[in-house]
Amino acid sequence: MENISYYLLLLLLIVIGVIVVKKVASCMIKSVVTIVLIAIAVAIYWLYFT
């Protein structure tokens, strides 16, 4: 059951990231958003599965 919640959170992060990146045109902002999303995904994985 925990794996399902992890994947739902990860999917939600990806959807939010795609929406934000589509609305923002700057390449630097896209890079920052991508790095933040990866960091959040790793933090969620670390907190729930270690």
Side-chain angles (χ1 to χ4, degrees):
M1 190 66 173
E2 290 180 13
N3 287 339
I4 294 171
S5 62
Y6 169 71
Y7 289 118
L8 288 175
L9 285 173
L10 191 58
L11 182 62
L12 181 65
L13 283 173
I14 292 170
V15 169
I16 291 172
V18 168
I19 291 171
V20 168
V21 168
K22 281 188 176 185
K23 292 186 180 225
V24 177
S26 173
C27 187
M28 181 62 90
I29 299 296
K30 288 181 184 179
S31 299
V32 170
V33 168
T34 304
I35 291 170
V36 168
L37 287 175
I38 291 172
I40 291 172
V42 168
I44 290 171
Y45 180 80
W46 183 263
L47 290 174
Y48 286 109
F49 295 107
T50 57

